[in-house]
Amino acid sequence: MKSFSLALVATQILSALGAKVEVQSSGGNATSGRQYGFLHEDINHSGDGGIYAELIRNRAFQYNEHYPLTLDGWFPVNGASLELRELDEPLSDVLPVSMKVSKGKNYRHGKIGFRNDGYWGMDVKKQKYKGSFWVKGDYKGNFEASLQSNNTNDVFGAVKVKSNARKDEWVEHKFELTPWENAPTSNNTFVLQFDPKGVKGDLDFNLISLFPPTFKDRENGLRKDIAESLYELHPSILRIPGGNMLEGLDNKTWWDWKDTLYPLRYRKGFPGVWGYQQTYGLGMMEYLWWAEDMDLELVVGVYAGLSMDGSITPEDELQQFIDDALDQIEFLKGGVDTKWGARRAELGHPEPVDLHFVEIGNEDWYAGGQAGWDSYKEYRLPRFIEAISAAWPELTIIASGTHTDRDGIDLPEGIYGDYHPYKMPDVLVEEFDRFDNDGPHIVGEVAATHVNGGIGWEGSLYYFPWWIGTVGEAVSMIGYERNADRVFATFYAPILRNMNFWNWSVTLVQFDAWTVTRSTSWYLWELFAFHPMSHTLPATEDFGPVYYVAGKNEDQGSFIWKGACYNTTNGADQPVSVKFDGVQEGTKASLTMLTNSVSDPMRWNDPYNHTNIVDRSTVVLSANKDGAFEFEMPELSIAVLDTDYKKEACRNKKAKQKRRSVEQPFAA
Ligand code: AHR
């Protein structure tokens, strides 16, 4: 492992205020080329009702021992009666309950049917929606699918679907629906109707689905505006599938990737750990396509025998989960001549996934208390390491904790740790040097979550990412990037929140059926990821109130400096001078600065009124006669200086950096 060599560090030039930074032209640490990413799990309805684009809530009446069967989301139309029932011939073994639709006691005349009001509304626009539903029963005539207002009589679009329904068989009906006008609000519903005169006997419905156009037009894909808000962060790595979601509520209901590989008709759903039933619509393949469509490396978490109820798998029962993890890795990495590689090929992905990183469990120091952590250290982690490294020696294995969790863990040689700082901004700043003398890690989850001066984790999360929290995150991210040889990737978590459902307030992006709001931290993560370094460079070490990292992007041939200004004396602006060794007078660099336009460190980007308090400005600087770039940083500001000075102008042209391709995470 490389580290900053004191011999190579330029002479410290201390200034009473600000920072005078001299940057060497060689040395430093290679980065992984995949520094910034995020964790996704279904929390805050960020999956179902979020980035998973399905518009229909409770589309297949899924339930289990944790969540009851319900008609949530469904309402009768024109005096219909809706009844959930289990038929002798269900749609599938895993979707046993369907909805019988018949004339109710208030029925007078005309078509009957049902409506669904989606995940707290539906965005209806002049675009092509793809729908489908399954029916069992004898019906001659047409169905009519439409998108309608929920509070006026407006119909924005409708289509007739000829019935192929049969008495003894489930028949799928597919349709496309293009509204003729945009709805003025998101308070809309999907309606399906039919003429009861054409029905002989009963008519049952199941798996009623409606998708708007998706990100990169994937079937069963991602909601476009939300996915774009993540893609535009220029991420390079995605950690899945949690988080607590991986662990499940108990060790019979962990997030079982195998159950997600089927057509939707055969996906039984998942008892989510965040208080709601999940569809399993966003499954292993969907995560794979997500990663491919955004050009993301994956960190895949495998279930390690500990669940949220604290149930710990005893050693003599662990093998089933180890086998399952090996199957999962084979599913991703195996050739088409392997059992699970062949399954992946069947699902449309013959090429093996270029997977380098597997994480064993999630926060194994948490759910089962000390006993869970002890079992992890004593046998769960070692048994997984033994089996995975024997089968896939080229994989990097990540343990789900670090030496600062509980009584710590001695990570075996070559095994990475995972650190999850959800902290006050002051603490993130105090931890600037957290990785200066530590082994290899990911920072698998990080966010400023609690206000300074409070009681930290025992207190409430703040409302949204807020300005001083964002600057605190910037300082910690700079600390991680300085140690890029030990912290190969940093993940924001959790990333998404549906504003109609609360599990966790501080998220990178908030949304509802209609809008998407990018938080203050979104602007930070975007800026840092937009200027990737291939390696850091040794520089003057004089940190606080300006914290910084300097480096180079070999592909672009550019020098980069990232800085954040936190806790100045009396709020004074800080003069900063950055001199890259070898840079001549007149060399140009863009300086992009993020500041708080309302001068209030506690304010956030408001998802209710969509105000953005982040000011982003770019100026082009010229190096002075000493080859130094000089500028000032206000209190609580974030900046990136880049000698590839034209790059910032291309920000909106989706100038995504080509990632370095690295076989191993780090050169030794
Ligand atoms: O990100 C939210 C939760 O925080 C994750 O599920 C868990 O890993 C952590 O405790």
Side-chain angles (χ1 to χ4, degrees):
M1 181 189 308
K2 293 176 198 152
S3 61
F4 279 106
S5 152
L6 282 180
L8 287 174
V9 172
T11 317
Q12 289 195 1
I13 303 173
L14 301 174
S15 72
L17 289 172
K20 187 162 184 179
V21 186
E22 297 201 354
V23 185
Q24 300 281 312
S25 55
S26 61
N29 306 313
T31 73
S32 67
R34 337 167 162 92
Q35 204 68 32
Y36 295 116
F38 40 75
L39 163 74
H40 184 260
E41 66 182 306
D42 199 336
I43 176 174
N44 290 323
H45 268 291
S46 66
D48 289 333
I51 196 162
Y52 180 53
E54 174 64 83
L55 290 172
I56 306 293
R57 183 154 60 102
N58 192 19
R59 68 182 175 190
F61 319 108
Q62 290 157 306
Y63 69 101
N64 51 56
E65 64 274 32
H66 296 285
Y67 299 105
L69 179 62
T70 105
L71 267 171
D72 271 1
W74 297 101
F75 303 90
V77 168
N78 195 24
S81 150
L82 310 183
E83 182 194 336
L84 292 176
R85 60 180 190 160
E86 208 164 316
L87 298 177
D88 291 342
E89 286 168 352
L91 179 60
S92 71
D93 288 350
V94 297
L95 298 181
V97 174
S98 45
M99 179 168 69
K100 178 179 148 189
V101 184
S102 56
K103 292 186 279 189
K105 58 180 185 318
N106 295 327
Y107 174 74
R108 297 288 171 265
H109 55 83
K111 289 179 184 163
I112 58 168
F114 49 84
R115 67 184 167 87
N116 185 284
D117 61 1
Y119 289 95
W120 305 284
M122 282 182 200
D123 184 15
V124 174
K125 284 197 184 76
K126 289 196 271 181
Q127 56 184 4
K128 194 191 288 171
Y129 293 78
K130 291 186 182 170
S132 59
F133 55 92
W134 290 80
V135 193
K136 185 165 181 288
D138 186 349
Y139 172 53
K140 304 247 169 341
N142 287 321
F143 296 98
E144 186 179 286
S146 58
L147 284 163
Q148 305 189 5
S149 166
N150 209 10
N151 51 6
T152 68
N153 293 326
D154 288 337
V155 177
F156 304 111
V159 66
K160 288 198 176 2
V161 186
K162 187 176 171 335
S163 171
N164 292 318
R166 282 194 279 282
K167 183 167 173 255
D168 298 321
E169 211 184 314
W170 281 99
V171 179
E172 187 178 23
H173 291 69
K174 292 190 175 181
F175 61 91
E176 289 180 354
L177 200 178
T178 305
W180 45 77
E181 63 179 304
N182 295 336
T185 74
S186 61
N187 191 5
N188 306 310
T189 67
F190 169 73
V191 178
L192 193 69
Q193 287 170 279
F194 57 92
D195 185 348
K197 284 194 238 142
V199 179
K200 276 197 203 135
D202 294 331
L203 213 49
D204 285 80
F205 292 81
N206 206 345
L207 192 49
I208 302 129
S209 170
L210 187 70
F211 276 80
T214 57
F215 184 66
K216 306 247 166 134
D217 287 328
R218 282 269 170 219
E219 284 293 309
N220 201 40
L222 305 182
R223 187 175 133 177
K224 250 181 156 175
D225 53 354
I226 297 178
E228 275 161 10
S229 75
L230 299 180
Y231 189 46
E232 287 167 20
L233 283 164
H234 328 291
S236 50
I237 193 156
L238 171 64
R239 180 170 166 246
I240 53 155
N244 295 342
M245 189 176 93
L246 167 69
E247 299 166 78
L249 291 171
D250 56 53
N251 63 6
K252 290 186 193 58
T253 58
W254 49 283
W255 195 85
D256 191 341
W257 64 279
K258 281 181 184 160
D259 285 345
T260 73
L261 300 182
Y262 301 104
L264 298 182
R265 180 182 183 180
Y266 300 106
R267 295 193 199 183
K268 69 177 174 191
F270 176 67
V273 303
W274 294 102
Y276 51 93
Q277 172 69 34
Q278 291 173 212
T279 62
Y280 260 151
L282 186 59
M284 194 66 223
M285 281 309 293
E286 287 73 23
Y287 274 126
L288 205 57
W289 298 127
W290 174 349
E292 291 213 352
D293 288 345
M294 293 195 193
D295 189 20
L296 304 175
E297 185 101 28
L298 281 174
V299 171
V300 175
V302 296
Y303 179 67
L306 175 73
S307 294
M308 293 313 293
D309 65 349
S311 49
I312 303 162
T313 307
E315 186 165 8
D316 59 0
E317 291 172 24
L318 195 64
Q319 192 60 40
Q320 55 182 319
F321 299 128
I322 296 173
D323 292 343
D324 208 273
L326 292 171
D327 290 348
Q328 189 170 7
I329 298 168
E330 185 178 287
F331 177 78
L332 294 165
K333 278 182 86 65
V336 292
D337 52 342
T338 63
K339 175 178 170 196
W340 286 101
R343 182 92 176 90
R344 183 194 65 241
E346 255 171 47
L347 296 173
H349 199 300
E351 313 76 35
V353 177
D354 193 21
L355 176 75
H356 297 107
F357 309 105
V358 168
E359 180 158 2
I360 313 302
N362 175 65
E363 293 187 348
D364 283 81
W365 42 267
Y366 177 67
Q370 188 65 40
W373 190 220
D374 288 345
S375 71
Y376 190 69
K377 294 189 285 184
E378 280 161 20
Y379 62 88
R380 290 190 296 117
L381 178 64
R383 292 274 309 275
F384 274 84
I385 292 176
E386 190 187 0
I388 293 174
S389 51
W392 302 96
E394 71 276 31
L395 272 179
T396 296
I397 297 175
I398 303 166
S400 72
T402 179
H403 70 85
T404 47
D405 292 317
R406 285 192 179 269
D407 57 348
I409 183 169
D410 292 327
L411 292 168
E413 184 67 30
I415 304 301
Y416 288 34
D418 182 357
Y419 184 52
H420 290 183
Y422 290 119
K423 310 256 179 182
M424 301 184 228
D426 275 356
V427 176
L428 290 174
V429 174
E430 276 160 29
E431 292 191 354
F432 174 69
D433 58 358
R434 164 70 176 74
F435 285 101
D436 283 5
N437 297 297
D438 207 339
H441 280 75
I442 61 169
V443 177
E445 299 177 27
V446 59
T449 44
H450 295 80
V451 294
N452 287 334
I455 50 174
W457 192 247
E458 302 303 315
S460 303
L461 297 164
Y462 201 53
Y463 306 107
F464 300 103
W466 72 113
W467 185 245
I468 191 170
T470 295
V471 183
E473 281 166 23
V475 174
S476 67
M477 288 158 76
I478 289 167
Y480 307 146
E481 198 155 346
R482 280 182 70 234
N483 289 296
D485 60 333
R486 292 161 226 185
V487 184
F488 81 82
T490 300
F491 304 74
Y492 192 97
I495 43 174
L496 298 171
R497 176 181 167 203
N498 188 317
M499 290 303 295
N500 292 286
F501 193 89
W502 184 88
N503 289 124
W504 188 292
S505 51
V506 184
T507 57
L508 215 45
V509 169
Q510 296 90 38
F511 63 89
D512 54 27
W514 187 242
T515 61
V516 171
T517 304
R518 299 168 186 209
S519 67
T520 53
S521 290
W522 188 96
Y523 288 88
L524 156 68
W525 285 70
E526 189 276 342
L527 179 64
F528 278 12
F530 193 56
H531 295 272
M533 297 177 183
S534 52
H535 58 89
T536 62
L537 288 169
T540 314
E541 295 190 9
D542 176 17
F543 300 119
V546 179
Y547 299 82
Y548 51 86
V549 57
K552 196 161 185 195
N553 183 317
E554 290 291 356
D555 291 341
Q556 316 280 317
S558 55
F559 290 103
I560 297 165
W561 181 93
K562 298 179 183 175
C565 183
Y566 188 95
N567 258 356
T568 60
T569 310
N570 300 327
D573 289 358
Q574 300 297 300
V576 178
S577 160
V578 180
K579 177 174 161 47
F580 296 99
D581 190 19
V583 163
Q584 304 298 315
E585 178 180 4
T587 301
K588 289 192 166 59
S590 62
L591 176 73
T592 303
M593 185 96 68
L594 303 182
T595 52
N596 168 0
S597 66
V598 292
S599 306
D600 179 351
M602 301 307 287
R603 285 283 292 281
W604 56 83
N605 284 354
D606 193 329
Y608 297 106
N609 61 20
H610 308 293
T611 44
N612 177 11
I613 63 146
V614 181
D615 247 346
R616 179 172 62 197
S617 63
T618 301
V619 290
V620 175
L621 303 180
S622 284
N624 65 16
K625 62 178 174 19
D626 301 322
F629 297 98
E630 295 193 329
F631 52 95
E632 291 201 327
M633 291 189 72
E635 161 68 341
L636 296 180
S637 61
I638 298 163
V640 174
L641 184 75
D642 191 336
T643 59
D644 181 3
Y645 67 97
K646 294 186 177 154
K647 185 178 163 71
E648 276 291 329
C650 306
R651 176 187 298 283
N652 297 327
K653 291 187 194 152
K654 299 214 162 62
K656 191 165 179 344
Q657 287 279 341
K658 186 172 161 286
R659 284 210 325 270
R660 289 171 67 226
S661 125
V662 183
E663 285 308 314
Q664 296 295 326
F666 303 113

